[in-house]
Amino acid sequence: MSKSTKTTITRRTAIKTVAASALAVTCAPAFFVRNAWAEKAIGNFPVKGKEVVFGFNVPQTGAYADEGADELRAYKLAVDHLNNGGGMLGTLDPCALDGNGVLGKKVSYVVGDTQTNPDAARTSARRMVERDKVIMFGGGSSSAVAIAQQYLAQEMGVVFMCGLTHSNDTTGKDRRRYGFRHFYNAYMTGKALGPVLAETYGSDRRAFHLTADYTWGHTQYESIKSFTEAEGWTTVNNIMTPLGNTDYSQFLTAVLNSDADVVVLNHYGKDMVNSLTQAVQFGMREMQKNGKQMQVVVPLFSRLMAKGAGPSNIDGVFGTANWNWALRDTGSQAFVKSFEREYGFPPSQAAQTCYVQTLLYADACQRAGTFYPPEVIKALEGHTFTGAGPGESFMRAGDHQCFHDVLVVQGQGMAARQGDFDFLRVYKQVPRDQVSYPVDTFPGDLGPYKPA
């Protein structure tokens, strides 16, 4: 064989080798190659071993423990579906998940207790990150807890998918690059509920607010006040009440001694159950003020709260919800059927938002082809999807707030109920574009993609 022949064969071999390499690159799973040059260690990235660990930090004690228990049920179901298929994996669109884990790794999880306390939540979350090496954590039913965890996530370079948090601050002044919220917020509640209250009770109303004294309550009060006053209502007074309070008699007495004909309970969880029950015991729902029937409003409502307060107390009471198990869209029904099959009863809105957020994070990793946090964050920012509830949802890049339809709901009395879990009826499904708002409505800074 001549030297020139050898040279020709060598070139052909080289060409084949390059072509084969190129083909291998094209066909290889994207997570082996995409932006690999840029993927430095951040948080618990890179993920080692055959498993990837998620952290679920929920209130197992405190005023929001009922919501926490349902969140945990949903998280366990989400992990099962990520590893074995089922549920919303068949309805989420687009969806890169196939029921074989995430990026070839089986998903496992660890659990913590926020105690509905920001300091306890940070301690629990830090333990998950440092000891258990979670690549993502989520959960919680308090905005103060969510915001505390969100700042920790930014510091440690680990993505936090908020659980149930409704304060405007979460994606407003306290927004963080490493935090994302699927749940709606107080401002969206005001936009959806204000017009319905005016249509139903009239524009000449005088409202007295009782408000949980922390970030959620503050922004809830400000939003409902703003949107009801825009409809012509007058705000008579507001009293801040401590979280976890059990006796509302002194606050309700102040309402009775005023000329208010509507009492707005900016309370959630067991706080709302106690305040609403005691308001009914004070006879407020049978009372006449200013020639009108006195009304009670619960801006943020849930089935768990309605069940706790009881059908007779919630009958006809207006509020809003992020989601309801009775919705008939394919995504909602896929989740409800899976949840009922596993636990024997339908899920709450807290469960739904935690389930959806877990799938959104996992899908973002799959689409990004990596667990590298900056790339996962970019895959979530500006992401539009369907199949996780009614209509189309949109995760805005500028503040990490998700926008979707919001429900105005009304408590069901005993006579109207059609089943053991039929506590709230959907009065109106308010389209996404009617509850959306400009990103600069609440100033804030997400911070960098790479933590300092």
Side-chain angles (χ1 to χ4, degrees):
M1 187 176 291
S2 67
K3 184 177 179 180
S4 60
T5 304
K6 284 183 179 178
T7 303
T8 302
I9 292 174
T10 300
R11 284 175 179 165
R12 286 175 178 171
T13 302
I15 291 170
K16 288 180 179 178
T17 301
V18 170
S21 300
L23 184 60
V25 168
T26 303
C27 297
F31 53 89
F32 290 136
V33 296
R34 188 177 299 173
N35 293 340
W37 59 272
E39 295 182 353
K40 307 298 183 183
I42 292 179
N44 285 320
F45 177 87
V47 179
K48 300 176 181 176
K50 297 180 180 179
E51 292 190 351
V52 61
V53 186
F54 291 176
F56 304 136
N57 208 19
V58 305
Q60 299 181 54
T61 53
Y64 301 157
D66 289 346
E67 283 75 12
D70 225 35
E71 289 180 4
L72 193 53
R73 296 184 189 103
Y75 279 133
K76 292 177 179 177
L77 196 61
V79 169
D80 179 49
H81 290 166
L82 289 174
N83 288 330
N84 303 299
M88 283 189 187
L89 262 62
T91 62
L92 193 64
D93 184 22
C95 180
L97 302 166
D98 59 6
N100 289 304
V102 182
L103 298 176
K105 295 181 184 294
K106 181 181 177 181
V107 179
S108 62
Y109 65 90
V110 294
V111 175
D113 182 7
T114 68
Q115 303 176 35
T116 319
N117 178 295
D119 292 336
R122 277 181 65 95
T123 299
S124 178
R126 182 180 293 278
R127 186 184 307 118
M128 289 179 174
V129 172
E130 294 180 342
R131 184 191 67 186
D132 303 315
K133 307 300 180 186
V134 300
I135 192 68
M136 175 277 288
F137 65 105
S141 295
S142 154
S143 293
V145 165
I147 290 169
Q149 293 188 92
Q150 199 163 247
Y151 276 94
L152 181 71
Q154 185 77 30
E155 294 168 18
M156 305 193 77
V158 177
V159 172
F160 173 62
M161 303 298 285
C162 303
L164 193 160
T165 167
H166 191 244
S167 170
N168 298 331
D169 292 344
T170 307
T171 47
K173 71 179 182 62
D174 293 308
R175 70 185 70 161
R176 296 282 79 194
R177 182 73 63 187
Y178 277 70
F180 289 87
R181 170 161 64 180
H182 169 260
F183 207 71
Y184 71 138
N185 62 35
Y187 193 83
M188 296 156 81
T189 281
K191 292 197 77 171
L193 186 59
V196 171
L197 294 177
E199 290 168 8
T200 308
Y201 299 139
S203 58
D204 183 20
R205 282 285 186 168
R206 300 178 65 78
F208 197 121
H209 292 245
L210 299 183
T211 300
D213 190 12
Y214 73 106
T215 175
W216 168 68
H218 299 171
T219 65
Q220 174 74 88
Y221 164 65
E222 291 163 2
S223 296
I224 294 298
K225 176 178 183 290
S226 173
F227 283 103
T228 53
E229 289 184 351
E231 298 289 339
W233 286 29
T234 299
T235 303
V236 174
N237 201 352
N238 174 53
I239 296 177
M240 295 295 180
T241 63
L243 181 65
N245 189 53
T246 56
D247 183 1
Y248 289 87
S249 57
Q250 62 176 313
F251 310 122
L252 293 168
T253 299
V255 177
L256 290 175
N257 290 334
S258 75
D259 64 349
D261 47 46
V262 178
V263 58
V264 181
L265 301 176
N266 296 309
H267 295 142
Y268 195 74
K270 288 185 172 63
D271 287 2
M272 173 272 176
V273 171
N274 288 326
S275 63
L276 175 60
T277 300
Q278 291 168 32
V280 173
Q281 291 171 346
F282 271 56
M284 288 188 175
R285 303 207 60 197
E286 288 76 38
M287 199 171 290
Q288 293 282 321
K289 285 282 194 76
N290 308 321
K292 306 180 183 72
Q293 182 74 37
M294 192 162 185
Q295 301 294 340
V296 179
V297 176
V298 178
L300 177 57
F301 222 161
S302 79
R303 178 175 60 80
L304 297 177
M305 290 158 53
K307 179 182 178 182
S312 61
N313 290 340
I314 64 167
D315 189 13
V317 173
F318 274 111
T320 65
N322 191 64
W323 179 83
N324 185 282
W325 66 277
L327 291 169
R328 304 309 301 174
D329 63 277
T330 55
S332 296
Q333 283 304 298
F335 175 54
V336 171
K337 289 176 182 176
S338 297
F339 195 98
E340 287 183 329
R341 189 162 50 244
E342 186 70 21
Y343 301 113
F345 51 86
S348 65
Q349 63 175 349
Q352 190 261 356
T353 201
C354 289
Y355 177 90
V356 171
Q357 295 225 102
T358 306
L359 264 55
L360 288 178
Y361 171 80
D363 180 64
C365 294
Q366 201 77 30
R367 287 186 290 109
T370 179
F371 291 107
Y372 184 59
E375 294 300 323
V376 176
I377 290 169
K378 291 172 185 174
L380 283 165
E381 291 177 335
H383 183 53
T384 299
F385 57 96
T386 59
E392 185 181 73
S393 301
F394 170 61
M395 184 69 79
R396 187 158 65 186
D399 56 2
H400 293 187
Q401 173 64 55
C402 190
F403 291 90
H404 47 70
D405 294 357
V406 168
L407 307 178
V408 174
V409 296
Q410 196 172 24
Q412 293 268 59
M414 187 62 75
R417 293 179 62 200
Q418 298 181 359
D420 292 342
F421 306 102
D422 187 22
F423 289 96
L424 298 175
R425 78 179 180 100
V426 178
Y427 181 85
K428 183 178 184 181
Q429 184 172 320
V430 184
R432 184 182 79 181
D433 61 352
Q434 292 183 22
V435 294
S436 299
Y437 55 86
V439 69
D440 59 0
T441 301
F442 302 104
D445 181 10
L446 285 169
Y449 286 94
K450 296 180 181 179

